[in-house]
Amino acid sequence: MRMRTTKKIQEEEAKERLTELLDDVERGESIAIIRDGKKFAAIIPVEDDLWMEDPELRRQAVEGFREARKGWKTKKVSLEEILEWRHARK
């Protein structure tokens, strides 16, 4: 799996420029869609999802995720807080 630079684009702009973005992906670029300041979706070339079919690539992807997760800041939250956030978003 080769790594490449990912273009970041706001959700509203992505809706307006979908055809252009798909052309970019066809040329090998990856696109991260941003909502509320955070990446929430991606459009990637088909060859980039081959890791799902190859057990060794899948293992490497999981290990990479676990390594990245070590740097995340965590905070303990209660179930009540989670439910409040969920309801506040609707």
Side-chain angles (χ1 to χ4, degrees):
M1 175 171 59
R2 66 179 188 263
M3 299 302 284
R4 66 173 52 85
T5 303
T6 301
K7 177 189 290 186
K8 297 175 185 173
I9 189 166
Q10 295 296 319
E11 177 184 17
E12 289 302 315
E13 186 178 354
K15 289 177 185 178
E16 295 168 7
R17 298 178 44 205
L18 181 59
T19 301
E20 178 186 335
L21 296 174
L22 292 175
D23 289 342
D24 292 344
V25 170
E26 187 174 32
R27 287 189 295 274
E29 191 164 358
S30 296
I31 313 291
I33 311 297
I34 309 297
R35 177 191 287 163
D36 298 328
K38 297 180 182 178
K39 289 189 265 184
F40 80 99
I43 307 171
I44 62 170
V46 171
E47 70 252 13
D48 284 1
D49 71 1
L50 294 178
W51 64 269
M52 292 187 287
E53 299 171 13
D54 183 317
E56 178 59 20
L57 289 176
R58 197 167 49 242
R59 184 189 64 73
Q60 290 173 8
V62 169
E63 284 180 12
F65 174 79
R66 287 181 177 151
E67 189 62 33
R69 190 172 63 181
K70 289 177 184 177
W72 294 355
K73 293 180 182 179
T74 60
K75 176 185 174 186
K76 293 191 179 215
V77 296
S78 68
L79 176 59
E80 290 78 19
E81 289 175 298
I82 293 170
L83 292 173
E84 282 179 30
W85 296 333
R86 187 178 105 197
H87 293 296
R89 187 145 189 209
K90 292 181 180 181

